[in-house]
């Protein structure tokens, strides 16, 4: 089963609701808030206009406003359902505008933005080079590109060699993430697109006592594996309940390596 985000605009409202709830859980976790503050504070502060590509329901938008303080923020996402939820969330905030749009065709003018951010989007794209070309087009010379995503091939919930719970992470890689390795190839792709001053940083994310996001990822990955005919419903339910048992026992461990990349469009471009 391919990554559902590849066809996000045709997903049912139930799927959109599950995605939105999972993104909200992740963005609210103290560990993720710390990681976001860490990379977002390295962005130009108080930029005139920031474009958030793949803004979803705006789970991360508040963190961008808090940590980079742009004067205006435009968010684009191909899912009308997610954009509608984002509009409701920021209806009283004149700084934020949410529009339906794609990473390959944002609908924005040339050189309009000081900063372009894509937060956990590139691992879901079929054409990362096309998205980089679009980011280049809409950025002004001297503008900043920031891409943050999981190096999802590192996801682990294993406590020992051959731990069956790890099958939930490999199921997530097969069914929920189009390209788990993209962050390893991205620096070369970003340089090939013409960007300079490319800096990457690793951000360790580990959850033990209250792994709300990882539990929702496990739930979505076993459901997706069951829908793809990989897992029977008993195995899917058993793995999800094993994860909950470990949380209740205080033995759960889960970790993901996230990576941020910040690059610049040269002033003479
Ligand atoms: C994992 S979610 C992250 C959402 C949001 N950035 C956040 O951190 O909460 C991935 C997002 O990428 C969006 N997406 C999928 N394909 C896209 C595309 N071709 N162009 C732009 N966004 C896309 C999805 O709709 C979804 O909102």
């Amino acid at each position: 089963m391919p990554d559902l985000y590849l066809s996000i605009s045709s997903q049912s409202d139930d799927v959109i609701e599950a995605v939105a709830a999972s993104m909200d859980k992740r963005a609210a976790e103290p560990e993720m808030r710390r990681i976001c503050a860490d990379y977002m504070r390295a962005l130009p502060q108080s930029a005139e206009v920031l474009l958030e590509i793949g803004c979803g329901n705006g789970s991360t938008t508040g963190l961008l406003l808090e940590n980079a303080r742009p004067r205006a923020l435009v968010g684009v996402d191909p899912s009308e359902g997610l954009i509608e939820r984002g509009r409701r969330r920021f209806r009283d905030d004149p700084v934020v505008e949410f529009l339906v749009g794609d990473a390959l065709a944002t609908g924005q003018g040339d050189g309009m933005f000081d900063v372009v951010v894509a937060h956990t989007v590139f691992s879901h794209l079929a054409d990362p080079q096309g998205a980089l070309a679009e980011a280049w087009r809409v950025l002004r010379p001297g503008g900043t590109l920031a891409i943050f995503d999981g190096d999802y091939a590192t996801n682990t919930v294993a406590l020992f060699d051959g731990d069956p719970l790890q099958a939930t992470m490999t199921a997530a890689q097969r069914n929920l993430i189009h390209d788990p390795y993209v962050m390893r190839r991205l620096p070369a792709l970003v340089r090939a697109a013409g960007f300079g001053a490319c800096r990457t940083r690793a951000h360790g994310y580990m959850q033990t006592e209250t792994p709300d996001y990882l539990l929702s990822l496990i739930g979505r990955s076993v459901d997706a594996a069951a829908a793809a005919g990989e897992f029977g419903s008993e195995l899917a339910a058993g793995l999800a309940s094993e994860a909950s048992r470990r949380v209740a026992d205080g033995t759960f461990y889960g970790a993901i390596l996230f990576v941020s990349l910040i690059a610049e469009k040269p002033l003479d471009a």
Side-chain angles (χ1 to χ4, degrees):
M1 185 175 148
D3 178 353
L4 67 85
Y5 287 108
L6 286 176
S7 52
I8 192 76
S9 42
S10 55
Q11 296 296 331
S12 69
D13 204 54
D14 284 354
V15 170
I16 294 297
E17 191 50 43
V19 166
S22 186
M23 293 304 98
D24 283 350
K25 280 194 175 115
R26 189 173 66 183
E29 284 181 350
E31 182 71 349
M32 188 48 75
R33 293 178 64 85
R34 179 189 63 75
I35 290 172
C36 287
D38 202 19
Y39 94 85
M40 290 173 184
R41 284 184 193 155
L43 295 173
Q45 295 291 297
S46 309
E48 287 296 325
V49 215
L50 184 152
L51 176 65
E52 185 186 358
I53 290 175
C55 59
N57 65 334
S59 302
T60 302
T61 309
L63 297 173
L64 277 169
L65 294 176
E66 204 177 303
N67 293 299
R69 297 177 290 118
R71 289 175 204 276
L73 185 152
V74 177
V76 295
D77 197 282
S79 162
E80 282 185 27
L82 289 173
I83 285 291
E84 198 40 54
R85 284 166 173 79
R87 282 182 182 146
R88 281 203 294 274
R89 184 193 301 251
F90 289 98
R91 70 182 151 227
D92 297 326
D93 191 336
V95 168
V96 178
E97 184 182 16
F98 273 21
L99 302 167
V100 174
D102 194 282
L104 298 182
T106 58
Q108 304 300 305
D110 292 356
M112 275 187 50
F113 293 91
D114 303 292
V115 181
V116 171
V117 177
H119 186 91
T120 63
V121 178
F122 267 67
S123 60
H124 302 293
L125 297 179
D127 181 3
Q129 286 101 327
L132 289 172
E134 177 68 353
W136 172 276
R137 184 185 71 74
V138 298
L139 266 178
R140 66 162 171 79
T144 301
L145 171 70
I147 298 174
F148 176 91
D149 218 321
D151 180 24
Y152 290 121
T154 65
N155 289 15
T156 183
V157 290
L159 293 177
F160 49 87
D161 275 355
D163 185 341
L165 196 60
Q166 185 64 17
T168 61
M169 294 294 105
T170 45
Q173 281 172 26
R174 284 192 306 279
N175 298 305
L176 300 178
I177 303 159
H178 175 68
D179 189 347
Y181 292 93
V182 70
M183 293 310 283
R184 301 183 189 194
R185 299 194 317 278
L186 201 63
L189 296 179
V190 164
R191 284 192 294 270
F195 290 93
C198 182
R199 305 176 297 282
T200 50
R201 289 180 58 205
H203 307 269
Y205 168 89
M206 187 189 81
Q207 294 292 297
T208 53
E209 286 169 23
T210 51
D212 294 347
Y213 167 64
L214 283 171
L215 285 182
S216 79
L217 181 65
I218 288 171
R220 287 193 298 124
S221 82
V222 296
D223 286 351
E230 295 174 351
F231 293 178
S233 54
E234 293 85 355
L235 178 58
L239 289 169
S241 83
E242 171 62 9
S244 299
R245 182 195 68 77
R246 290 184 188 187
V247 176
D249 285 359
T251 57
F252 184 87
Y253 174 92
I256 303 176
L257 181 69
F258 284 93
V259 176
S260 63
L261 178 153
I262 297 183
E264 269 150 40
K265 179 169 174 175
L267 269 172
D268 57 2

